[in-house]
Amino acid sequence: MNKIHLDGYQKFKDVYFKDNKKLFDELAEGQSPHTMIITCSDSRVSPTKILSATPGELFVAQNIGNIVPPYEQTKGATQSAIEYAVNALKIPHLVILGHSSCGACAHLYHEKDENEKSVELSHVDEWLTLAYPAKHNAMLECLNNPEKNRAEITEKNNILLSIERLMTYPYIVKALEEKRIELHGWWYDIGTGNLEAYDYATKTFKKIEV
Ligand SMILES: [Zn+2]
């Protein structure tokens, strides 16, 4: 087994922490992040890196497939994080950040055959049932158009599904009505480093130009 990566920790203490001591002194007193990000646990997706953010800026909740469970499902880490971000921290921006080659979205299409070695994924399978509507919509969209990129469509549908689910949270609807929060859907392309944002007016994802 590889050793746990402590060289990076040493570098953090010797360089980043030392150079930013004032920031860490302030952060020791509390946090006031401007954006909540709900993204996938995938190791290739680092919102802090993608946005060049400093500690204290982003309130991040990660799970397999950047899924927002329905409001009625009261027990859950993601629901608690959303509630704390919106009601306690009063965060003005909430981003659902999905990504290319998402293993969770691909797993939605995985069918075990009889000979396949049994890998314990029962919790993953159960969790991902929440994303089935994203898969079903993608299948319909690709039905008569096999040229379409089903994986990407599923990933983008899954982002929109999470945004729709946020609309089952009464305090989110209230915050939207009072213009205290904005909901964003972003898709990150790992191979190009590009971010695409969902445009509510045209109902399409468009590359963010900076
Ligand atoms: Zn993923």
Side-chain angles (χ1 to χ4, degrees):
M1 191 189 288
N2 291 336
K3 270 204 305 184
I4 193 158
H5 189 66
L6 288 177
D7 295 351
Y9 170 55
Q10 191 178 3
K11 193 175 159 197
F12 164 73
K13 287 300 296 286
D14 292 347
V15 182
Y16 192 82
F17 187 83
K18 261 190 196 153
D19 290 351
N20 294 280
K21 185 68 178 71
K22 195 169 167 289
L23 169 69
F24 285 101
D25 284 342
E26 285 168 18
L27 291 177
E29 301 300 318
Q31 63 168 334
S32 183
H34 52 73
T35 302
M36 178 179 194
I37 310 255
I38 299 173
T39 191
C40 189
S41 302
D42 194 299
S43 64
R44 299 163 295 176
V45 182
S46 168
T48 303
K49 201 79 166 172
I50 296 167
L51 297 175
S52 307
T54 53
E57 285 193 274
L58 305 178
F59 189 82
V60 180
Q62 288 183 288
N63 65 45
I64 303 273
N66 42 267
I67 289 169
V68 172
Y71 178 75
E72 300 75 46
Q73 202 173 305
T74 51
K75 284 184 188 167
T78 305
Q79 299 93 309
S80 310
I82 296 167
E83 192 171 271
Y84 190 74
V86 178
N87 291 343
L89 296 172
K90 310 283 184 198
I91 285 176
H93 293 281
L94 198 164
V95 179
I96 306 292
L97 175 62
H99 67 99
S100 63
S101 61
C102 179
C105 289
H107 191 76
L108 293 170
Y109 296 92
H110 181 73
E111 282 173 28
K112 262 190 186 171
D113 70 48
E114 307 249 320
N115 303 319
E116 196 173 315
K117 264 198 202 159
S118 171
V119 178
E120 175 60 59
L121 286 176
S122 58
H123 286 83
V124 173
D125 290 338
E126 176 66 23
W127 171 251
L128 288 179
T129 59
L130 288 169
Y132 276 0
K135 168 189 169 179
H136 296 149
N137 286 337
M139 287 170 81
L140 284 173
E141 224 172 296
C142 297
L143 209 54
N144 295 317
N145 197 343
E147 300 299 306
K148 283 200 170 182
N149 185 338
R150 193 178 70 175
E152 186 178 318
I153 290 171
T154 307
E155 288 151 8
K156 289 177 174 173
N157 280 347
N158 190 40
I159 292 166
L160 300 182
L161 177 64
S162 284
I163 293 178
E164 281 171 31
R165 288 255 175 71
L166 286 172
M167 298 305 288
T168 67
Y169 289 56
Y171 59 85
I172 299 248
V173 175
K174 191 163 184 284
L176 277 169
E177 282 169 353
E178 293 169 358
K179 300 194 186 318
R180 285 188 282 111
I181 199 167
E182 284 181 19
L183 307 181
H184 311 266
W186 290 358
W187 180 77
Y188 170 61
D189 188 337
I190 294 171
T192 63
N194 290 335
L195 274 178
E196 293 183 15
Y198 184 70
D199 179 54
Y200 291 98
T202 60
K203 295 186 171 27
T204 53
F205 280 82
K206 287 181 179 164
K207 189 177 156 195
I208 297 178
E209 302 291 350
V210 282

